Amino acid sequence: MLLIASLLASIAARADGFQRPNGFHRPPRHAAGTTRLRAKTRALDPLDELEEYWQAHGAKWKRTLEILDVRAAWQAGECDGVLPSGKRSRAAAQEKLVDVARALELYDADELQIRRRFRNATPSELLPRWTKILEERDRLRDEGAWDAAVVQSEQQREFQQSIVKGEVESADASPALSRAVATALSPVLKAAANTRNKADGGQLLELNKLQETAGADAAERWLTAALLASLETEVADLEPRAAPQQSFREREDELEAGEGLGLFGVGVGLALVTIVAQNVLFGGGGDGGGGGVVDGFPTI
């Protein structure tokens, strides 16, 4: 009888089909969900996540990486001495004779060789930067600031887009201009945007296009913006190279050949005269509606 009672007690203890180990306590449902969420967002290897992102959006980065390479070469002094024609000056080999926009035009025309820093980048090459970005994302999530950071990034992107394209600002964009004023000035804003985009070789327009399209949602667009900011910071931190000294004879030869700063200096002078004339005829600066926003847009 004692043996039968023992067997019955054992069967009753396992009636639910599972016998918990000693010391085990079922966690609350919300805690289990949190654990699964954390594992889902952080267990993915950074390289795997980057390769997935790059497969979806890598082609959209092509033009931006070309722009960054040209800007990097210009910043490092590798374009010093390049004349607007694309030829190298010997009389001013250490001078910046072209701006980034003209250097980009020469590169597009295959008249200026640019060292590869970012073009054709592979996920492995971008991994160190990507890892730091994911660490920042995890920090924001831990602090409960991730959602706010994504919203703020979207608002900044929309504001930049409205300025670059000369469009009326959306209700959620920067309040720098009221919608009524922006609507009244819409043709002016578009004209200013077109002039600025032509002047910078379309750089701002291209960078804004990247941030708009390289991302399936706002969170992924945040990753795009963060990666772009990382690369732009690298470019800005580049130190100019030390240029070789030019002999007096080389300067004399070039001046005799009619090369150098002559025509370039005249062009700059005419541009300054044009700007002064425009300010006199149409007014400049002041407190006119909308001018501060357009003029104050960060340049590349």
Side-chain angles (χ1 to χ4, degrees), residues 78-83 86-90 112 241 259:
E78 295 165 11
C79 297
D80 290 358
V82 175
L83 296 164
K87 296 181 179 180
R88 289 276 177 178
S89 169
R90 291 179 295 171
L112 180 62
R241 66 174 183 176
E259 298 185 48

Side-chain angles (χ1 to χ4, degrees), residues 42-73:
R42 298 197 177 181
L44 188 63
D45 182 77
L47 181 57
D48 292 340
E49 185 172 356
L50 176 55
E51 288 178 340
E52 182 179 339
Y53 169 89
W54 205 246
Q55 183 177 5
H57 306 297
K60 302 169 187 174
W61 278 84
K62 181 179 183 298
R63 182 56 175 173
T64 295
L65 296 181
E66 291 177 343
I67 291 173
L68 291 175
D69 265 350
V70 173
R71 288 173 54 188

Side-chain angles (χ1 to χ4, degrees), residues 54-277:
W54 205 246
Q55 183 177 5
H57 306 297
K60 302 169 187 174
W61 278 84
K62 181 179 183 298
R63 182 56 175 173
T64 295
L65 296 181
E66 291 177 343
I67 291 173
L68 291 175
D69 265 350
V70 173
R71 288 173 54 188
W74 190 91
Q75 177 72 18
E78 295 165 11
C79 297
D80 290 358
V82 175
L83 296 164
S85 64
K87 296 181 179 180
R88 289 276 177 178
S89 169
R90 291 179 295 171
Q94 302 180 43
E95 303 295 332
K96 293 188 182 299
L97 308 180
V98 296
D99 57 12
V100 177
R102 181 55 184 160
L104 187 59
E105 290 176 353
L106 292 173
Y107 165 78
D108 289 337
D110 202 22
E111 296 177 2
L112 180 62
Q113 297 299 315
I114 296 295
R115 169 186 168 190
R116 185 187 86 86
R117 288 181 169 90
F118 306 114
R119 299 194 304 278
N120 303 319
T122 64
S124 297
E125 292 172 332
L126 296 171
L127 182 59
R129 307 170 181 93
W130 186 261
T131 300
K132 292 180 180 179
I133 291 170
L134 296 189
E135 290 173 354
E136 176 64 14
R137 183 185 64 182
D138 289 343
R139 183 189 68 79
L140 291 171
R141 284 174 171 170
D142 288 341
E143 296 177 359
W146 169 243
D147 291 342
V150 171
V151 171
Q152 185 178 15
S153 179
E154 283 291 282
Q155 290 179 344
Q156 180 65 18
R157 180 186 60 79
E158 291 177 5
F159 173 54
Q160 291 178 351
Q161 183 184 53
S162 68
I163 296 298
V164 171
K165 294 185 177 181
E167 297 174 346
V168 177
E169 294 175 299
S170 69
D172 294 328
S174 170
L177 283 176
S178 69
R179 289 183 59 82
V181 173
T183 301
L185 294 177
S186 181
V188 178
L189 292 176
K190 285 185 179 295
N194 290 335
T195 301
R196 180 174 53 250
N197 292 332
K198 290 178 181 178
D200 78 349
Q203 298 172 66
L204 290 176
L205 190 62
E206 187 63 36
L207 299 186
N208 187 263
K209 176 183 176 182
L210 170 71
Q211 295 180 74
E212 180 183 2
T213 60
D217 52 28
E220 198 168 44
R221 286 192 293 271
W222 183 93
L223 295 174
T224 297
L227 181 57
L228 177 59
S230 175
L231 297 178
E232 287 188 309
T233 300
E234 288 185 35
V235 171
D237 291 342
L238 287 174
E239 295 290 337
R241 66 174 183 176
Q245 295 294 327
Q246 186 181 31
S247 69
F248 177 78
R249 182 69 256 174
E250 289 175 330
R251 286 182 178 269
E252 290 294 313
D253 291 343
E254 184 165 340
L255 291 175
E256 290 178 2
E259 298 185 48
L261 293 173
L263 294 177
F264 183 77
V266 171
V268 172
L270 290 176
L272 292 176
V273 171
T274 302
I275 292 174
V276 172

